[in-house]
Amino acid sequence: MAAGRPAWPGYGPGDNIARVTPARTDLPQPLTALSEDERLFRDSVSEFADREIRPLVRDMDEHAKIPRDLIDRLFDLGVMGIEIPDSHGGAGGTFFHAVLAVEALSRVDPSIGVLVDVQNTLVINALMRWGSDAVRRRYLPALASKTVGAYALSEAGSGSDAFALATRAVQRGDDWLLTGRKLWITNANEADLFIVFANANPEAGYRGITAFLVERGTAGFTVGKKEDKLGIRASSTCELLLEECRVPNDQVLGEPGKGYKVAIETLNEGRIGIGAQMIGLAQGALDHTVKYVGERRQFGRAIAEFQAVRHQIARAATDLEAARLLVFNAARRRDLGQPFVTEAAMCKVFSSEVAERVASLAVNLYGGYGFVKDYPVEKLYRDAKIGQIYEGTSNLQLETIAKQVVG
Ligand SMILES: Cc1cc2nc3c(=O)[nH]c(=O)nc-3n(C[C@H](O)[C@H](O)[C@H](O)COP(=O)(O)OP(=O)(O)OC[C@H]3O[C@@H](n4cnc5c(N)ncnc54)[C@H](O)[C@@H]3O)c2cc1C
């Protein structure tokens, strides 16, 4: 065999069997194939993230805050209203575009990834599907141009068992009075519009749950304590206090008693967005690592030359490719109107594990530098943990998958 030639065609760099196979245009595209428009969109978000977000990441993590100016630039970029139609001032994109944006942003900062994710895959998604024409006309243009949204389901006593929520809604004439406390609400510090779930008929159990649109500044509504967190520190996570908060009847999202459907359906889709956040995070950790192992020298050579290191990185890249395929498949199925709930659960559970593994490997391969804040990977390691907790813990995702597989 000639020196430098791989043993088998297709297994060496640049020597890919696909290259010698005549091109067929009549077959379905690979899952990772992007349309021209998707590629341009992903690249523009990615360039924005490198140029505008990367210089701020360390400071945002330290001060646990996203500057409003950066949020305004995210609106200008068009990623805060991706699925909102042009007629309402949005980008007129697909759910898959939202997934691409969340991935591209999370590669640089998963806190910005989740800000954009909640805005698009939960808040806007719920309004587009469940909002009346009047609600859509009133809120979608604002959400596309300046208003950050938040999604408030969880409470101190009801996380996984979300429908045991204790916030109550009582009808008074044409209004509703909401009383209760929400916990761990992402974007709460930046948001001007909140989707708040309350039970309007506790005797009916989960069939009493109703979704309300609550604007910041409404009497009886306060954003409370901000959590001091392990990871995604720049993303705000706060308590909400509702004390006879008065919400007009026309700000019920969907119908009274149908809030459980609003929650289930939006969260089923939202968790694909968390999958996207996690593959972005893993890609960011892998990119840092590949660069670092090429530069760091020990025993007289770059540590990238040690087979043990190369194989660890090869495994991480393989994990990431598998996770991305799960995320893209779930998102494509959602856009095509095909069943996707099991696929969404699989993509979240797997990509959050991959993110944790890849970020952990990054810390290991950075050695002592991996453990200190002057280098970027310790933050990604902290950020990764949340993927297994919010929008349904991994145990809950596994239960969804098991119901489908085991019955
Ligand atoms: C940073 C952050 C941001 C968040 N953002 C939001 C937000 O924007 N909006 C919102 O509404 N909520 C939000 N949450 C809340 C989040 O969705 C919940 O924390 C999560 O659903 C888990 O609920 P819990 O914390 O009450 O845990 P628990 O439900 O108490 O679970 C504790 C443990 O028990 C396990 N467990 C529970 N039930 C079962 C079961 N039946 N079978 C097997 N295992 C089980 C869980 O897997 C977990 O490991 C956020 C949380 C965090 C930390």
Side-chain angles (χ1 to χ4, degrees), residues 151-154 159-160 183-186 229 232 237 386 389-393 395-396:
Y151 184 93
L153 177 65
S154 303
S160 300
L183 203 59
W184 302 303
I185 305 310
T186 299
K229 306 196 298 290
I232 55 162
T237 311
I386 192 59
I389 298 172
Y390 58 15
E391 295 204 29
T393 65
N395 276 359
L396 272 284

Side-chain angles (χ1 to χ4, degrees), residues 184-238:
W184 302 303
I185 305 310
T186 299
N187 294 354
N189 256 0
E190 298 80 16
D192 284 315
L193 181 66
F194 297 77
I195 299 180
V196 175
F197 293 86
N199 199 320
N201 182 9
E203 288 85 65
Y206 73 89
R207 289 177 185 279
I209 293 173
T210 305
F212 296 90
L213 293 166
V214 180
E215 295 180 17
R216 183 185 286 270
T218 306
F221 174 80
T222 323
V223 175
K225 176 178 164 265
K226 180 170 154 230
E227 303 297 340
D228 188 7
K229 306 196 298 290
L230 169 73
I232 55 162
R233 291 178 54 76
S235 160
S236 68
T237 311
C238 308

Side-chain angles (χ1 to χ4, degrees), residues 84 87-89 135-147:
I84 295 179
S87 53
H88 287 308
V135 159
R136 290 158 59 102
R137 270 199 308 276
R138 180 161 181 201
Y139 289 112
L140 291 181
L143 285 163
S145 59
K146 59 177 189 294
T147 300

Side-chain angles (χ1 to χ4, degrees), residues 123-139:
V123 177
I124 289 170
N125 196 359
L127 262 86
M128 300 246 304
R129 174 146 348 145
W130 297 92
S132 62
D133 281 351
V135 159
R136 290 158 59 102
R137 270 199 308 276
R138 180 161 181 201
Y139 289 112

Side-chain angles (χ1 to χ4, degrees), residues 304-373:
E305 290 181 33
F306 298 119
Q307 191 180 55
V309 170
R310 301 173 68 77
H311 286 192
Q312 282 178 303
I313 291 177
R315 189 168 292 284
T318 306
D319 268 354
L320 174 55
E321 178 74 356
R324 183 173 286 117
L325 291 172
L326 285 176
V327 173
F328 280 19
N329 186 46
R332 293 279 195 212
R333 290 180 72 94
R334 185 279 189 189
D335 275 335
L336 289 166
Q338 295 175 2
F340 65 87
V341 173
T342 309
E343 289 80 1
M346 288 173 168
C347 92
K348 180 174 182 287
V349 82
F350 187 70
S351 55
S352 58
E353 286 170 6
V354 166
E356 191 182 32
R357 276 206 295 279
V358 176
S360 174
L361 175 68
V363 173
N364 290 350
L365 290 179
Y366 266 71
Y369 297 110
F371 206 67
V372 299
K373 289 184 186 291

